[in-house]
Amino acid sequence: MRCHLIFIILLFSGAFVSGQALVTNTEVDRKYLEDQFYFGLTYNFATNLPADVSQRNLSYGLQAGFIKDIPLSYQRNMGIAIGLGYGINSYYTNLLATQQGSDVVYSVLDSDADFKRNKIATHVLEVPFQFRWRNSTPEEYKFWRIYTGVKLGYVFDGRSKFVSSSEKIVFVNKDIRDFQYGLTLNVGYNTFNIHIYYALSSLFNDGVTGESGGLIEFKPLKVGLIFFIL
């Protein structure tokens, strides 16, 4: 009889523990965060170019970083985020930059000029700030998102590079603006999201002119894909 009683107690105890575990495992996590890491690939357009300057080859950009998600609503579908990232950008044009003493002189390459590459390359420390909306839930990992905001950038390395069959010119271009900023928009569903960045600042410092005396103040427009990871 005592053995039967012990068995019944153990059986009910096991059922109680299992029930508690089930409740714990199915408890909704109301403190979940979204999209903490990002990686993006863009095509870089050069807008506001002088009339005789055109874009050449495939101008591209790469970006990656960490961003802190800060929900503002109980449903956690609205929030803000601030992050830190690293970007690499290339802009291929027919605008040739050459050094003459301490100055940088700009000229336009002819359409029949023999050269392989002529570009500006930048390495940027980036600080994105976003306003976020999404229709995620604690149980749903596939959702729509709209993230808009601004991105600040510090160019810690900016170079002009020209390569032809006979020569190669590479130098640090001091005319490239150190601090840059622009508007961002990220829209998408689940893994694939469209990323747009429009610069509000020129790639070059104020007052930089070409050989004809006109200002060079083109602004990058980046369009591509961005991937967010928890």
Side-chain angles (χ1 to χ4, degrees), residues 39-42 63 192-195 223-227:
F39 172 79
L41 173 65
T42 60
Q63 58 178 312
F192 295 96
N193 302 272
I194 297 173
H195 172 78
V223 180
L225 294 175
I226 191 167
F227 306 89

Side-chain angles (χ1 to χ4, degrees), residues 31-149:
K31 296 184 178 181
Y32 71 94
L33 300 175
E34 297 287 3
D35 302 341
Q36 299 290 305
F37 296 91
Y38 65 89
F39 172 79
L41 173 65
T42 60
Y43 180 83
N44 296 345
F45 296 91
T47 69
N48 265 20
L49 289 173
D52 51 353
V53 177
S54 60
Q55 194 163 349
R56 302 285 184 90
N57 297 344
L58 177 63
S59 299
Y60 64 90
L62 296 171
Q63 58 178 312
F66 171 81
I67 189 162
K68 176 61 177 175
D69 185 67
I70 307 172
L72 298 179
S73 62
Y74 176 76
Q75 294 81 6
R76 307 182 84 79
N77 60 348
M78 297 187 66
I80 60 174
I82 187 168
L84 182 64
Y86 169 61
I88 303 173
N89 298 286
S90 293
Y91 306 94
Y92 290 86
T93 69
N94 63 340
L95 183 66
L96 175 64
T98 55
Q99 280 186 310
Q100 294 186 6
S102 59
D103 298 326
V104 180
V105 177
Y106 299 90
S107 59
V108 179
L109 294 163
D110 296 331
S111 57
D112 57 350
D114 179 24
F115 67 97
K116 297 179 180 179
R117 289 186 299 279
N118 182 63
K119 72 172 184 177
I120 294 172
T122 62
H123 295 259
V124 189
L125 185 65
E126 300 179 330
V127 179
F129 181 83
Q130 298 175 352
F131 296 94
R132 293 180 156 195
W133 173 88
R134 59 205 172 214
N135 64 349
S136 63
T137 68
E139 301 87 0
E140 182 57 59
Y141 298 101
K142 296 181 180 180
F143 52 86
W144 288 95
R145 62 172 63 81
I146 300 176
Y147 299 163
T148 184

Side-chain angles (χ1 to χ4, degrees), residues 121-125 153-158 176-180 203:
T122 62
H123 295 259
V124 189
L125 185 65
Y154 172 69
V155 179
F156 62 87
D157 185 59
I176 297 174
R177 188 184 298 270
D178 290 335
F179 291 96
Q180 302 180 5
L203 185 66

Side-chain angles (χ1 to χ4, degrees), residues 5-21:
L5 182 60
I6 294 174
F7 176 78
I8 293 172
I9 292 173
L10 291 175
L11 182 63
F12 276 97
S13 299
F16 178 78
V17 171
S18 299
Q20 288 291 95

Side-chain angles (χ1 to χ4, degrees), residues 19 91 173 213 215 221:
Y91 306 94
N173 191 331
L215 290 174
L221 170 64

